[in-house]
Amino acid sequence: MILGLLDGRPLPRTALDERLAALRNGPRSTALPRPGSSEDRQLIRWVAQVLLTEALCEAVAAERELPVTASVTAPGPARLDQQAAVELGSITAAAYEGSAAVRAVYDSVTAEVEPSPADVAHYRALTGRPPVTRWHLVLPDGTFEADPDTLPMALAEALRTAPPGEWVTVGPWTALLLATLAIPQDPDPAPALRDAARRAAFVRWLDRERAQRLTLVKGLEHPGDPAQPDNHHRH
């Protein structure tokens, strides 16, 4: 019995059986659907698609001679945040988290992907907030930065109207406004946009590769069914 075909080469079903057994004997086994149920058949097909994605990326990594060893600093599975997992889709996200080959191919395929200046500008226009004003103040005993709205009202008004570089004294307070600072409220959106663009590019690339190189065998919904080479379809 086979799991599917990669470039016409049969992939044994044993990998699927082993992965399912590990899930059903693992710590989250109670959350899995009842064996034989329609939900269980969906799980089987989902796991099969994850395995086929891993096998495809292993082949691509070998073709591109990519290093696929786990990172020294992160030897275990990778962990995606919720947004990244949603953007990749559950099958690709699971393969990415569990396979160093998938992560290596991802890095290779998306290495040159960058958001356009127009995308960055559009994102800033939609989400940007005006900078926060901070005053750099000098006091008789030192310097500090403060939001003008947190200062005593009379002192803040005197500092606003005083000539540059002039000390002001209001009641018990004496201060000099050294500089007005504009502190950005939003981080540079380019890194986050680049990550999103890379994920979108990888999904498009992977969809093309799956369609061209992978065949998923019918009958996976029924673990005991024989998978015949003439009984398959493309996914």
Side-chain angles (χ1 to χ4, degrees):
M1 291 188 295
I2 63 173
L3 168 64
L5 303 175
L6 172 59
D7 297 328
R9 175 175 56 87
L11 301 173
R13 189 193 163 104
T14 52
L16 175 61
D17 296 332
E18 291 170 357
R19 185 71 61 89
L20 290 170
L23 289 172
R24 288 167 176 156
N25 294 318
R28 301 183 63 185
S29 59
T30 57
L32 297 180
R34 177 175 53 84
S37 65
S38 61
E39 292 81 5
D40 184 59
R41 292 192 290 273
Q42 291 174 1
L43 172 65
I44 293 170
R45 289 182 64 82
W46 184 86
V47 173
Q49 293 280 15
V50 173
L51 288 170
L52 288 173
T53 300
E54 292 175 356
L56 171 61
C57 288
E58 288 166 6
V60 173
E63 293 162 3
R64 299 188 180 201
E65 299 182 344
L66 303 175
V68 297
T69 54
S71 167
V72 173
T73 57
R79 289 290 177 260
L80 295 167
D81 61 37
Q82 185 175 12
Q83 179 177 345
V86 169
E87 291 174 352
L88 287 175
S90 66
I91 291 170
T92 303
Y96 179 96
E97 289 187 335
S99 170
V102 176
R103 296 192 291 274
V105 172
Y106 175 92
D107 289 340
S108 175
V109 167
T110 66
E112 303 301 322
V113 175
E114 293 288 347
S116 69
D119 288 338
V120 174
H122 180 66
Y123 182 88
R124 283 193 170 121
L126 291 176
T127 65
R129 293 174 293 174
V132 174
T133 299
R134 290 287 187 274
W135 281 356
H136 189 180
L137 299 171
V138 181
L139 304 182
D141 57 353
T143 65
F144 75 104
E145 290 181 8
D147 182 334
D149 291 338
T150 65
L151 299 176
M153 187 178 300
L155 176 62
E157 183 61 28
L159 288 168
R160 284 192 180 94
T161 57
E166 182 175 300
W167 287 85
V168 300
T169 299
V170 177
W173 305 291
T174 297
L176 180 150
L177 177 56
L178 188 64
T180 299
L181 309 174
I183 309 298
Q185 293 193 68
D186 300 308
D188 181 3
L193 287 176
R194 180 174 187 263
D195 288 342
R198 292 180 72 191
R199 289 190 286 268
F202 186 65
V203 169
R204 291 192 298 269
W205 175 87
L206 195 55
D207 284 344
R208 291 193 300 268
E209 293 295 304
R210 283 171 173 150
Q212 294 172 6
R213 303 182 63 174
L214 284 178
T215 300
L216 177 64
V217 172
K218 288 183 180 179
L220 286 174
E221 307 92 313
H222 309 286
D225 288 353
Q228 300 298 332
D230 61 346
N231 204 24
H232 61 266
H233 62 284
R234 286 272 176 189
H235 270 270

